[in-house]
Amino acid sequence: MSISVEINDNTSSYDKLRELCKENVIYFSTDERNGSTAISNCFEQLFENIGTIKPLVYELRNICHLYDFDPSIPGNGYRSYVTVVDLFIAHCIKICNQMTINRNSFFFRKAFYTKEIESCNQVMSALVLCLENLCLLIGWSEPGMLFAGNDTAALELMMKIEPSKLCPFYGRCLAFQFNESLQPALKTIAIMMAAFSEVYYNENGMLARANTAWNCSKYMLNPELRARRIVNVIQYSSIEFYKAFLFLGETELLKSLPNLVSPVVAVNRLISIPSKPILYLKPDGQLFELQPPMCHTGPASLNVRLIAKTKREGMLAENLGSGILPEPCDNLIIHCHGGGFVSQSSSSHESYLRDWAVRLEIPILSVDYSLAPRAPYPRAREELLFAYVWAINNAAYLGSTAKRVIMAGDSAGGNLSACVALKCIEMGFRIPDSLFLAYFPCAIAWSPTPARFLSLIDPLIPLGFMTNCLKAYACPPDIYQDSLYEYKLKNIAKPKDGAKDNFIEEVESSEEALELIQDTKKDSQSTITPVEEVIMTAHEHRQSRRFSTMLTETAENISSAITTTFITLTGGTAEEYIRLYIWTLV
């Protein structure tokens, strides 16, 4: 029996935008001032794009309720994409209203608003392409299922979306789908990423780096230049760049930030767990010797950070002071930080961990696990399991009786926390009493879904970065090294004697650079510089799908294991779990 669910219809906003476009076309077509023809043409194109995108949105709006986990919980990837388009229409209406108010002013910036409308047209064209692919995805999926039956064909849909078409999402329209209070922060991150990439790839010494940093204000003033730079970074940079950018949060300046903005805690110290076997008494009474993590990097001590609002009896602290201390807490939170498996630490997440410790009055133990690609799967999982068992055995030193143990993690940390719960079930260890998993990747196999299409326009964790993180974590070291490439975004090819001095400046995008280099190879093998050879090799590696097969196989094993775990934890049937799985993760 089908269930009828009321869907919010925002078609009136589309009609309103078309009326605004029509009005501006009439106004600027009769305006004889310079630039009026260009802006009139932009509005005509926007008017046509609205007519193209409206029926596609209407089609998704009519069927998206069929993919909800539950009628009382309306949410899935198709709904999200419809919402994104609705928010973009609202963004366009806002710009058009501003133009209508200011167009008669002497200070009206016609060139500025022309670029704004051009950017809106580019974004709408890209959204149309994604919506058309989503409609195809529906045809390849079973009714009510978000996963396509034909994974290969569905994956090709995502691959066909050229990176150049994604530039507008990182330019003037950056973060339009987010709340206005978040937009300045996301734009700042985008500017920092573009600026940092220029410093990161500059190899001409400290003075040149200083000049580069000084000139990075151009990415603030030129959104189009910033967008091209970011798309190049997403498309061609290796995981090393992404790690370096994220580790900006580990600088001494930012490390001191929690001391200024976060609540004061009585205990905040690092504890080193020695790399020695742990004797653990299982719930069934059997004594088990848990060996320390050994894979990939060999034995090493494991650092964990203890954060607590107050010092408690028996707790490890620098100075317990005098007087009677509170009794140990019955609860204990074991935290695993996010960072795409490749970056971050307990220190970078300290700000909100302090807030948790103060508000909940529960000791928190955050684990600094080893990072990929140096320590890929399953090293981090083994370390988290080792820390979990150690914490249960030594709960008194953490100011807790461990009567109730909660595992918490965000992003990659959520995945690792779920994996530890899996391992506890498999080995007969005590299972965590609760799991708090925030936006964690569970179905990381390459199965395109509507939510995966959203990652194509995500300004914070784009698809290219996410792919590199998963590759670094899930692929064995030899496979990862074979697929490693690094595209030099600055000085990609140095001109030889007699070559044009403006070789680099004439290249508008990375795609054109690769085409130019490949054409040069055809003309004369002797004129190829070593840097160009590196780029061609990198391009060939990029086309190779060898690592994709290995990533998918490993990911499917992890996903299958997590499925078993949640069925065991919830006591539900496989059918009930699948519905929960799809709604939560897709």
Side-chain angles (χ1 to χ4, degrees):
M1 182 179 66
S2 62
I3 301 175
S4 177
V5 179
E6 183 179 354
I7 307 296
N8 294 328
D9 190 352
N10 294 329
T11 54
S12 59
S13 60
Y14 292 74
D15 296 334
K16 180 179 180 180
L17 181 57
R18 295 191 74 179
E19 289 299 321
L20 287 171
C21 290
K22 188 185 299 183
E23 180 188 349
N24 279 288
V25 167
I26 296 173
Y27 177 87
F28 287 104
S29 61
T30 58
D31 189 353
E32 297 181 354
R33 290 176 293 179
N34 291 336
S36 296
T37 302
I39 199 168
S40 176
N41 293 337
C42 288
F43 274 110
E44 288 180 356
Q45 184 180 354
L46 186 60
F47 183 87
E48 294 176 359
N49 285 334
I50 298 168
T52 303
I53 202 171
K54 184 178 178 180
L56 294 172
V57 174
Y58 184 78
E59 181 178 349
L60 287 184
R61 202 188 300 275
N62 282 339
I63 58 92
C64 62
H65 66 280
L66 300 175
Y67 298 86
D68 291 336
F69 170 66
D70 187 89
S72 62
I73 310 175
N76 59 70
Y78 292 116
R79 280 187 181 272
S80 298
Y81 233 101
V82 169
T83 301
V84 165
V85 178
D86 288 343
L87 290 172
F88 178 69
I89 296 299
H91 173 77
C92 293
I93 291 175
K94 179 181 177 181
I95 294 175
C96 290
N97 284 333
Q98 291 175 352
M99 290 188 61
T100 303
I101 295 172
N102 299 321
R103 64 191 181 189
N104 292 319
S105 171
F106 177 78
F107 299 101
F108 178 64
R109 297 179 294 169
K110 190 173 294 183
F112 169 80
Y113 280 108
T114 300
K115 291 182 179 179
E116 289 285 333
I117 301 301
E118 286 177 349
S119 179
C120 289
N121 276 317
Q122 293 168 356
V123 170
M124 193 169 292
S125 298
L127 288 174
V128 167
L129 179 60
C130 291
L131 288 169
E132 289 174 345
N133 288 337
L134 286 176
C135 291
L136 288 175
L137 195 64
I138 292 173
W140 294 341
S141 307
E142 295 293 329
M145 292 295 293
L146 291 169
F147 292 93
N150 189 343
D151 279 356
T152 303
L155 180 58
E156 289 179 356
L157 284 181
M158 297 184 69
M159 303 299 289
K160 285 181 180 178
I161 300 178
E162 300 176 3
S164 59
K165 295 185 181 298
L166 303 178
C167 279
F169 293 104
Y170 300 95
R172 295 177 182 271
C173 296
L174 176 72
F176 68 85
Q177 67 269 42
F178 290 88
N179 189 281
E180 289 187 1
S181 62
L182 282 175
Q183 290 176 6
L186 293 173
K187 289 181 180 179
T188 301
I189 292 174
I191 293 170
M192 289 175 59
M193 182 184 295
F196 178 74
S197 70
E198 194 160 328
V199 176
Y200 180 83
Y201 287 106
N202 195 310
E203 300 175 349
N204 296 324
M206 292 301 298
L207 181 60
R209 291 187 179 214
N211 291 334
T212 301
W214 176 260
N215 292 329
C216 283
S217 58
K218 62 188 177 185
Y219 293 118
M220 182 183 300
L221 302 175
N222 191 333
E224 288 76 23
L225 181 64
R226 178 185 70 213
R228 290 197 297 270
R229 185 76 183 186
I230 291 176
V231 170
N232 281 338
V233 167
I234 293 171
Q235 188 178 8
Y236 293 112
S237 289
S238 75
I239 198 64
E240 298 305 321
F241 167 80
Y242 189 44
K243 289 178 64 174
F245 179 66
L246 290 180
F247 270 116
L248 291 176
E250 301 289 322
T251 59
E252 291 300 323
L253 177 63
L254 293 180
K255 277 186 177 180
S256 63
L257 191 61
N259 295 327
L260 302 175
V261 301
S262 301
V264 177
V265 292
V267 180
N268 183 2
R269 64 167 301 180
L270 282 174
I271 302 171
S272 181
I273 303 176
S275 180
K276 297 180 180 179
I278 298 176
L279 289 177
Y280 173 67
L281 186 63
K282 292 184 178 182
D284 60 6
Q286 294 184 7
L287 194 63
F288 182 86
E289 185 178 70
L290 180 65
Q291 297 298 321
M294 299 291 291
C295 65
H296 298 303
T297 57
S301 59
L302 176 62
N303 289 335
V304 293
R305 181 179 297 274
L306 177 62
I307 300 176
K309 177 184 177 181
T310 57
K311 299 173 183 177
R312 295 180 179 272
E313 183 180 339
M315 179 180 285
L316 291 172
E318 287 83 355
N319 181 16
L320 291 176
S322 59
I324 300 176
L325 296 175
E327 294 182 355
C329 179
D330 287 337
N331 299 311
L332 176 65
I333 296 177
I334 299 178
H335 171 261
C336 189
H337 66 81
F341 303 104
V342 300
S343 65
Q344 305 290 289
S345 66
S346 61
S347 177
S348 57
H349 291 241
E350 187 180 322
S351 180
Y352 70 82
L353 290 180
R354 285 190 180 199
D355 188 59
W356 286 7
V358 171
R359 289 173 178 266
L360 301 175
E361 297 187 359
I362 298 175
I364 299 175
L365 190 72
S366 185
V367 182
D368 285 326
Y369 56 87
S370 298
L371 303 174
R374 182 174 178 270
Y377 176 85
R379 177 74 187 206
R381 186 202 65 186
E382 291 181 355
E383 290 181 344
L384 187 59
L385 177 65
F386 193 73
Y388 171 77
V389 173
W390 179 89
I392 292 176
N393 276 5
N394 299 275
Y397 295 119
L398 307 177
S400 173
T401 62
K403 290 183 179 179
R404 181 175 176 82
V405 178
I406 303 101
M407 293 204 70
D410 66 291
S411 189
N415 176 280
L416 293 172
S417 298
C419 287
V420 167
L422 275 173
K423 206 64 180 176
C424 289
I425 294 173
E426 177 187 332
M427 302 180 70
F429 291 177
R430 173 183 171 179
I431 302 173
D433 297 280
S434 297
L435 291 173
F436 175 74
L437 311 176
Y439 51 89
F440 74 108
C442 184
I444 62 175
W446 277 115
S447 298
T449 65
R452 296 281 164 84
F453 275 88
L454 285 173
S455 65
L456 293 172
I457 61 175
D458 192 327
L460 195 58
I461 309 178
L463 181 63
F465 283 169
M466 183 176 67
T467 303
N468 280 340
C469 290
L470 293 177
K471 179 179 67 174
Y473 174 67
C475 288
D478 56 336
I479 301 295
Y480 174 74
Q481 290 298 328
D482 286 347
S483 64
L484 187 63
Y485 61 88
E486 183 79 24
Y487 189 93
K488 295 297 182 182
L489 296 173
K490 194 68 176 175
N491 298 329
I492 59 172
K494 299 178 181 179
K496 287 182 172 292
D497 296 338
K500 291 188 294 183
D501 293 335
N502 59 346
F503 174 78
I504 300 301
E505 283 69 13
E506 288 188 353
V507 178
E508 292 292 333
S509 66
S510 300
E511 294 85 351
E512 293 181 19
L514 289 172
E515 291 175 3
L516 180 58
I517 292 166
Q518 289 170 341
D519 290 341
T520 305
K521 181 179 180 181
K522 295 176 183 178
D523 295 339
S524 174
Q525 289 287 348
S526 61
T527 61
I528 301 177
T529 67
V531 177
E532 291 169 342
E533 292 175 355
V534 171
I535 296 173
M536 285 186 292
T537 303
H539 188 56
E540 292 170 0
H541 278 309
R542 183 171 180 79
Q543 302 305 321
S544 173
R545 296 192 177 184
R546 179 185 174 193
F547 75 89
S548 297
T549 303
M550 184 64 67
L551 172 62
T552 300
E553 291 176 355
T554 306
E556 288 174 349
N557 292 336
I558 296 173
S559 299
S560 176
I562 290 178
T563 302
T564 305
T565 299
F566 276 89
I567 292 176
T568 304
L569 289 175
T570 60
T573 64
E575 181 180 358
E576 291 172 344
Y577 171 72
I578 289 172
R579 295 177 67 232
L580 174 63
Y581 180 89
I582 291 172
W583 175 80
T584 305
L585 304 176
V586 186

